[in-house]
């Protein structure tokens, strides 16, 4: 069961990363920012967002749900705030 859950997590990770990266990449190119220079920041931000989505929603629908707990609201908002800042930093650097 744990192996199935691990495969499910990897599939969700790749799926969500592809879904979220494409619009962000297009937005950066529309503004004129090359994403190659800020790939690490964007990747880290997306991983944080995907972690919050998985921890608060998808971990309860998998094969292995023992001991599953939602993240507290303060932690959720802190992680999402950090992710938002990581996504905004390339825009701020580009215009300064």
């Amino acid at each position: 069961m744990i192996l199935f859950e691990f495969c499910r997590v990897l599939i969700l990770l790749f799926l969500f990363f592809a879904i979220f990266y494409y619009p962000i990449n297009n937005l950066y190119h529309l503004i004129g920012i090359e994403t190659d220079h800020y790939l690490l920041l964007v990747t880290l931000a997306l991983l944080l967002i995907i972690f919050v989505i998985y921890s608060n929603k998808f971990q309860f629908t998998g094969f292995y749900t023992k001991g599953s707990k939602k993240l507290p609201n303060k932690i959720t908002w802190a992680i999402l705030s950090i992710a938002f800042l990581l996504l905004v930093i390339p825009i701020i650097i580009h215009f300064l």
Side-chain angles (χ1 to χ4, degrees), residues 13 16-29 31 33-51 79-80 82-94:
L13 178 71
F16 280 132
F17 194 83
I19 290 170
F20 289 139
Y21 183 75
Y22 183 73
I24 291 171
N25 190 23
N26 283 342
L27 175 69
Y28 282 170
H29 282 295
I31 295 172
I33 300 172
E34 292 184 31
T35 54
D36 297 338
H37 301 299
Y38 304 106
L39 187 62
L40 184 62
L41 291 174
V42 173
T43 302
L44 186 59
L46 289 178
L47 288 176
L48 288 173
I49 293 169
I50 293 168
F51 171 72
I79 292 173
L80 290 177
I82 291 169
F84 178 73
L85 286 173
L86 288 173
L87 289 173
V88 172
I89 286 173
I91 297 171
I92 293 171
I93 291 173
H94 178 71

Side-chain angles (χ1 to χ4, degrees), residues 54-86:
Y54 180 80
S55 295
N56 287 342
K57 190 72 174 169
F58 286 104
Q59 90 179 16
F60 304 109
T61 60
F63 297 105
Y64 185 76
T65 58
K66 275 189 178 177
S68 299
K69 295 181 184 177
K70 277 181 118 174
L71 291 174
N73 281 341
K74 289 182 180 180
I75 301 293
T76 298
W77 284 107
I79 292 173
L80 290 177
S81 298
I82 291 169
F84 178 73
L85 286 173
L86 288 173

